[in-house]
Amino acid sequence: MKLRIALAALALLAVSSPAMAQGDAEKGKTVFKRCQVCHVHDTKTNKVGPHLGDVVGRKAGAVEGFKYSDAMKKKGDEGLVWTEENLASYLKDPKGFVPGNKMVFVGLKKDDEVADVIAYLKSPPEQ
């Protein structure tokens, strides 16, 4: 009986984590419109912010030729990689996750929007 309770608790924990939520890439594309002033979902175009077509799995502060804040470069040097979990935390509170970064966006407050944007960023980039 204790084993069943423990397994049920683990299963509940796994599905309740916001980082584990499955997003909808099409909805994420719509939410991403808020980001397009500064970012592009391709692998070569830097604007005010770096390109994001290959951000999932990329080391923070690593886009060649983009001038990052010292705070973001330091996080990358410390080993920060943009996993889904790290992106979720950053998208919710950019200044809290990387204090001193230069992104002015205040963050996405809704978990479903965060999951949708991550799903979009994981989708094939624009060409």
Side-chain angles (χ1 to χ4, degrees):
M1 183 67 172
K2 288 182 183 179
L3 179 59
R4 283 186 191 168
I5 293 171
L7 289 174
L10 284 173
L12 182 60
L13 181 62
V15 296
S16 66
S17 170
M20 301 297 271
Q22 293 297 315
D24 181 312
E26 281 303 311
K27 289 179 182 176
K29 185 175 184 176
T30 300
V31 176
F32 188 79
K33 288 179 181 179
R34 300 179 207 170
C35 312
Q36 287 179 325
V37 170
C38 300
H39 297 281
V40 177
H41 184 241
D42 72 13
T43 58
K44 57 186 175 254
T45 309
N46 294 325
K47 292 172 75 176
V48 173
H51 64 74
L52 298 177
D54 58 356
V55 69
V56 179
R58 183 171 76 203
K59 183 176 110 172
V63 170
E64 193 70 35
F66 184 78
K67 185 166 174 37
Y68 288 96
S69 64
D70 290 340
M72 189 62 75
K73 287 189 285 190
K74 181 178 178 193
K75 284 291 188 180
D77 291 343
E78 292 171 353
L80 177 64
V81 173
W82 292 120
T83 62
E84 291 180 50
E85 293 81 7
N86 286 335
L87 279 169
S89 296
Y90 185 69
L91 288 171
K92 286 182 180 182
D93 184 11
K95 295 291 185 194
F97 192 75
V98 181
N101 84 77
K102 62 184 181 180
M103 189 162 90
V104 296
F105 185 66
V106 297
L108 297 171
K109 301 307 173 204
K110 297 178 180 176
D111 288 339
D112 60 330
E113 289 183 339
V114 170
D116 292 343
V117 167
I118 292 170
Y120 176 61
L121 293 174
K122 288 173 47 183
S123 71
E126 306 291 323
Q127 297 299 325

